[in-house]
Amino acid sequence: MSGAAVLPAGRGAARFRRPSALPGFRLTFGITLTYLTLLVLLPLAVLLLRAASVGPAGLWALITDSRNLAALKTSFGLSLAAAAIDAVFGLLIAWVLTRYRFPGRRIIDALVDLPFALPTAVAGIALASLYAPNGWLGEPLMALGIKVAYTPLGILVALVFVGLPFCVRTVQPLVAEIDKSSEEAAAILGASRFRALVTVILPPLIPAMLTGFALAFARAVGEYGSVIFVAGNLPYVSEIAPLLIVIKLEEFNYAGATAIAAVMLLMSFTALLAINLLQDFSRRRFGHV
């Protein structure tokens, strides 16, 4: 058993500690816990304690403030909508980039990662200029009665922009691994294209699509730089929760800022937990490619 760690007695301990090519289980596990504690758990605990310092009544008053509720509704509602849009179009883009060969494919494939490298402020300024009433796209849309910049629709466009790469990159490797013979077998058996899509192609891609959805949602909820330039930032209309936190900090209203941040933390954790449970169910149901 050289190269494999000796497992402690008991099935639970055996599941906890597996044989590994990497030595030093205790050291690496301790470093992992220390890293998570110092950089993740400790700051979150301080945030929750600071929010709870105002007392239950004060915390409830801050949470139920109409402006705070409007900002939270805008942030989470538009983040869910943007993540759903990214999940659908991310699958389509991944499919086209993987299954087809055409001029400029590598350039388009590289452009998918542009939101990762582009500073969020630059993205916000570009989107605001593009969708402004006198912008290249904003002006013709205004002629059709559609105003994008400085509205909730502008926030949605910005969130879709920053979250799309997550949905493309999580699905793309699985699309490449799908065996084309399965599609051919479905066609030979008389299945329509839609039925083949639903029964052969989509099931193994659902776990990856949910992963991309969760990542895009998490990115959208906390997005700030690209949104404030295109949102208009009108209270009760197009004001996002991260902006409201910054406003309260500038007003030295630390209790209000921490209360909104704590609510965002709990809501984000609940949403991501639900998505992860759904993803785990889909993995057991449909399996992997």
Side-chain angles (χ1 to χ4, degrees):
M1 294 182 61
S2 59
V6 178
L7 300 180
R11 297 179 59 185
R15 286 195 301 266
F16 178 72
R17 184 180 178 186
R18 300 278 186 174
S20 173
L22 296 176
F25 170 78
R26 293 182 177 86
L27 176 62
T28 54
F29 185 70
I31 292 174
T32 301
L33 287 182
T34 303
Y35 174 86
L36 290 176
T37 301
L38 293 178
L39 298 183
V40 180
L41 298 180
L42 187 59
L44 295 181
V46 171
L47 172 64
L48 294 176
L49 289 175
R50 184 64 181 268
S53 64
V54 298
L59 184 61
W60 180 253
L62 291 170
I63 292 174
T64 56
D65 178 74
S66 58
R67 184 178 179 182
N68 296 347
L69 288 177
L72 290 169
K73 180 180 178 181
T74 298
S75 289
F76 282 90
L78 293 178
S79 295
L80 286 171
I85 294 172
D86 284 334
V88 174
F89 285 94
L91 173 61
L92 294 177
I93 294 173
W95 185 269
V96 171
L97 292 176
T98 304
R99 287 300 184 92
Y100 299 98
R101 297 293 181 269
F102 52 88
R105 184 181 66 88
R106 293 185 180 276
I107 297 177
I108 296 176
D109 188 55
L111 288 176
V112 170
D113 295 326
L114 185 61
F116 286 149
L118 197 66
T120 56
V122 175
I125 294 173
L127 291 173
S129 302
L130 189 62
Y131 288 99
N134 59 346
W136 288 356
L137 294 179
E139 188 171 359
L141 289 173
M142 282 292 293
L144 298 175
I146 303 174
K147 184 179 180 181
V148 178
Y150 317 127
T151 66
L153 183 57
I155 300 176
L156 180 64
V157 171
L159 297 183
V160 169
F161 174 79
V162 299
L164 184 61
F166 294 100
C167 293
V168 176
R169 295 312 185 198
T170 53
V171 176
Q172 195 170 5
L174 296 185
V175 172
E177 293 180 8
I178 294 180
D179 190 359
K180 293 184 179 180
S181 62
S182 301
E183 305 170 47
E184 296 172 355
I188 293 174
L189 293 174
S192 63
R193 289 189 176 183
F194 178 77
R195 184 172 179 82
L197 173 68
V198 174
T199 59
V200 177
I201 298 175
L202 283 183
L205 297 180
I206 287 178
M209 291 179 65
L210 289 173
T211 299
F213 178 90
L215 293 174
F217 170 76
R219 171 67 188 274
V221 167
E223 182 61 22
Y224 176 78
S226 64
V227 173
I228 58 174
F229 291 98
V230 74
N233 308 320
L234 297 176
Y236 303 98
V237 177
S238 58
E239 187 177 52
I240 59 173
L243 174 62
L244 191 55
I245 293 175
V246 173
I247 292 174
K248 291 188 178 298
L249 288 175
E250 292 176 347
E251 297 172 348
F252 302 101
N253 185 0
Y254 300 115
T258 53
I260 299 173
V263 172
M264 289 191 67
L265 171 63
L266 295 176
M267 293 179 65
S268 299
F269 177 79
T270 302
L272 292 176
L273 178 61
I275 294 171
N276 287 333
L277 291 176
L278 182 60
Q279 181 185 20
D280 185 62
F281 169 78
S282 66
R283 282 175 175 168
R284 293 197 305 270
R285 175 66 175 81
F286 300 112
H288 297 275
V289 176

mmCIF file of all heavy atoms in Angstrom, residues 251-269:
data_model
loop_
_atom_site.group_PDB
_atom_site.id
_atom_site.type_symbol
_atom_site.label_atom_id
_atom_site.label_comp_id
_atom_site.label_asym_id
_atom_site.label_seq_id
_atom_site.Cartn_x
_atom_site.Cartn_y
_atom_site.Cartn_z
ATOM 1 N N GLU A 251 -22.709 58.059 3.816
ATOM 2 C CA GLU A 251 -23.478 58.826 4.796
ATOM 3 C C GLU A 251 -23.133 58.432 6.230
ATOM 4 O O GLU A 251 -23.779 58.903 7.168
ATOM 5 C CB GLU A 251 -24.979 58.610 4.560
ATOM 6 C CG GLU A 251 -25.471 59.116 3.209
ATOM 7 C CD GLU A 251 -26.911 58.720 2.932
ATOM 8 O OE1 GLU A 251 -27.444 57.870 3.685
ATOM 9 O OE2 GLU A 251 -27.504 59.248 1.976
ATOM 10 N N PHE A 252 -22.130 57.554 6.396
ATOM 11 C CA PHE A 252 -21.711 57.047 7.708
ATOM 12 C C PHE A 252 -22.836 56.287 8.408
ATOM 13 O O PHE A 252 -22.852 56.175 9.630
ATOM 14 C CB PHE A 252 -21.203 58.181 8.607
ATOM 15 C CG PHE A 252 -20.050 58.937 8.011
ATOM 16 C CD1 PHE A 252 -20.252 60.167 7.409
ATOM 17 C CD2 PHE A 252 -18.774 58.403 8.043
ATOM 18 C CE1 PHE A 252 -19.188 60.869 6.846
ATOM 19 C CE2 PHE A 252 -17.707 59.100 7.490
ATOM 20 C CZ PHE A 252 -17.918 60.330 6.891
ATOM 21 N N ASN A 253 -23.760 55.743 7.612
ATOM 22 C CA ASN A 253 -24.833 54.918 8.152
ATOM 23 C C ASN A 253 -24.386 53.460 8.079
ATOM 24 O O ASN A 253 -24.847 52.681 7.243
ATOM 25 C CB ASN A 253 -26.126 55.142 7.353
ATOM 26 C CG ASN A 253 -27.311 54.397 7.950
ATOM 27 O OD1 ASN A 253 -27.186 53.711 8.969
ATOM 28 N ND2 ASN A 253 -28.457 54.511 7.318
ATOM 29 N N TYR A 254 -23.468 53.103 8.966
ATOM 30 C CA TYR A 254 -22.884 51.767 8.916
ATOM 31 C C TYR A 254 -23.904 50.686 9.268
ATOM 32 O O TYR A 254 -23.840 49.568 8.736
ATOM 33 C CB TYR A 254 -21.686 51.686 9.854
ATOM 34 C CG TYR A 254 -20.588 52.665 9.501
ATOM 35 C CD1 TYR A 254 -20.243 53.695 10.362
ATOM 36 C CD2 TYR A 254 -19.908 52.549 8.301
ATOM 37 C CE1 TYR A 254 -19.245 54.594 10.029
ATOM 38 C CE2 TYR A 254 -18.903 53.439 7.960
ATOM 39 C CZ TYR A 254 -18.581 54.469 8.824
ATOM 40 O OH TYR A 254 -17.593 55.364 8.496
ATOM 41 N N ALA A 255 -24.834 51.004 10.151
ATOM 42 C CA ALA A 255 -25.852 50.018 10.514
ATOM 43 C C ALA A 255 -26.726 49.681 9.312
ATOM 44 O O ALA A 255 -27.034 48.514 9.044
ATOM 45 C CB ALA A 255 -26.713 50.561 11.659
ATOM 46 N N GLY A 256 -27.146 50.706 8.572
ATOM 47 C CA GLY A 256 -27.960 50.458 7.389
ATOM 48 C C GLY A 256 -27.205 49.690 6.326
ATOM 49 O O GLY A 256 -27.750 48.793 5.683
ATOM 50 N N ALA A 257 -25.915 50.022 6.143
ATOM 51 C CA ALA A 257 -25.118 49.326 5.128
ATOM 52 C C ALA A 257 -24.929 47.859 5.486
ATOM 53 O O ALA A 257 -25.084 46.972 4.632
ATOM 54 C CB ALA A 257 -23.762 50.019 4.981
ATOM 55 N N THR A 258 -24.607 47.574 6.750
ATOM 56 C CA THR A 258 -24.398 46.187 7.151
ATOM 57 C C THR A 258 -25.707 45.400 7.140
ATOM 58 O O THR A 258 -25.709 44.193 6.855
ATOM 59 C CB THR A 258 -23.781 46.120 8.554
ATOM 60 O OG1 THR A 258 -24.568 46.897 9.470
ATOM 61 C CG2 THR A 258 -22.367 46.651 8.542
ATOM 62 N N ALA A 259 -26.822 46.056 7.426
ATOM 63 C CA ALA A 259 -28.105 45.357 7.379
ATOM 64 C C ALA A 259 -28.422 44.914 5.956
ATOM 65 O O ALA A 259 -28.833 43.770 5.721
ATOM 66 C CB ALA A 259 -29.210 46.264 7.908
ATOM 67 N N ILE A 260 -28.234 45.804 4.980
ATOM 68 C CA ILE A 260 -28.484 45.438 3.576
ATOM 69 C C ILE A 260 -27.511 44.352 3.136
ATOM 70 O O ILE A 260 -27.896 43.390 2.456
ATOM 71 C CB ILE A 260 -28.358 46.674 2.676
ATOM 72 C CG1 ILE A 260 -29.386 47.735 3.065
ATOM 73 C CG2 ILE A 260 -28.549 46.288 1.210
ATOM 74 C CD1 ILE A 260 -29.212 49.039 2.324
ATOM 75 N N ALA A 261 -26.242 44.481 3.552
ATOM 76 C CA ALA A 261 -25.245 43.480 3.176
ATOM 77 C C ALA A 261 -25.588 42.116 3.779
ATOM 78 O O ALA A 261 -25.433 41.076 3.114
ATOM 79 C CB ALA A 261 -23.866 43.927 3.638
ATOM 80 N N ALA A 262 -26.072 42.098 5.017
ATOM 81 C CA ALA A 262 -26.440 40.829 5.649
ATOM 82 C C ALA A 262 -27.620 40.185 4.945
ATOM 83 O O ALA A 262 -27.647 38.959 4.741
ATOM 84 C CB ALA A 262 -26.763 41.061 7.123
ATOM 85 N N VAL A 263 -28.596 40.997 4.562
ATOM 86 C CA VAL A 263 -29.744 40.454 3.830
ATOM 87 C C VAL A 263 -29.298 39.888 2.491
ATOM 88 O O VAL A 263 -29.738 38.812 2.062
ATOM 89 C CB VAL A 263 -30.822 41.539 3.645
ATOM 90 C CG1 VAL A 263 -31.926 41.041 2.729
ATOM 91 C CG2 VAL A 263 -31.405 41.935 4.990
ATOM 92 N N MET A 264 -28.418 40.614 1.786
ATOM 93 C CA MET A 264 -27.912 40.110 0.512
ATOM 94 C C MET A 264 -27.166 38.803 0.698
ATOM 95 O O MET A 264 -27.288 37.878 -0.116
ATOM 96 C CB MET A 264 -26.993 41.152 -0.131
ATOM 97 C CG MET A 264 -27.696 42.383 -0.669
ATOM 98 S SD MET A 264 -26.592 43.391 -1.679
ATOM 99 C CE MET A 264 -26.313 42.304 -3.080
ATOM 100 N N LEU A 265 -26.385 38.721 1.773
ATOM 101 C CA LEU A 265 -25.643 37.492 2.054
ATOM 102 C C LEU A 265 -26.588 36.323 2.269
ATOM 103 O O LEU A 265 -26.407 35.244 1.675
ATOM 104 C CB LEU A 265 -24.760 37.701 3.276
ATOM 105 C CG LEU A 265 -24.066 36.454 3.839
ATOM 106 C CD1 LEU A 265 -23.097 35.884 2.820
ATOM 107 C CD2 LEU A 265 -23.347 36.794 5.144
ATOM 108 N N LEU A 266 -27.609 36.499 3.109
ATOM 109 C CA LEU A 266 -28.546 35.410 3.401
ATOM 110 C C LEU A 266 -29.349 35.021 2.165
ATOM 111 O O LEU A 266 -29.555 33.835 1.896
ATOM 112 C CB LEU A 266 -29.470 35.824 4.545
ATOM 113 C CG LEU A 266 -28.787 36.050 5.905
ATOM 114 C CD1 LEU A 266 -29.799 36.546 6.933
ATOM 115 C CD2 LEU A 266 -28.119 34.771 6.386
ATOM 116 N N MET A 267 -29.810 36.015 1.410
ATOM 117 C CA MET A 267 -30.593 35.718 0.208
ATOM 118 C C MET A 267 -29.731 35.024 -0.849
ATOM 119 O O MET A 267 -30.180 34.077 -1.508
ATOM 120 C CB MET A 267 -31.204 37.001 -0.354
ATOM 121 C CG MET A 267 -32.273 37.625 0.531
ATOM 122 S SD MET A 267 -32.968 39.161 -0.148
ATOM 123 C CE MET A 267 -33.785 38.540 -1.621
ATOM 124 N N SER A 268 -28.492 35.477 -1.007
ATOM 125 C CA SER A 268 -27.597 34.848 -1.976
ATOM 126 C C SER A 268 -27.288 33.409 -1.573
ATOM 127 O O SER A 268 -27.288 32.498 -2.412
ATOM 128 C CB SER A 268 -26.300 35.649 -2.099
ATOM 129 O OG SER A 268 -26.551 36.954 -2.543
ATOM 130 N N PHE A 269 -27.016 33.199 -0.270
ATOM 131 C CA PHE A 269 -26.717 31.855 0.199
ATOM 132 C C PHE A 269 -27.915 30.928 -0.007
ATOM 133 O O PHE A 269 -27.760 29.786 -0.458
ATOM 134 C CB PHE A 269 -26.338 31.893 1.677
ATOM 135 C CG PHE A 269 -26.081 30.532 2.271
ATOM 136 C CD1 PHE A 269 -24.880 29.890 2.048
ATOM 137 C CD2 PHE A 269 -27.052 29.900 3.043
ATOM 138 C CE1 PHE A 269 -24.639 28.633 2.593
ATOM 139 C CE2 PHE A 269 -26.822 28.648 3.573
ATOM 140 C CZ PHE A 269 -25.612 28.013 3.351
#
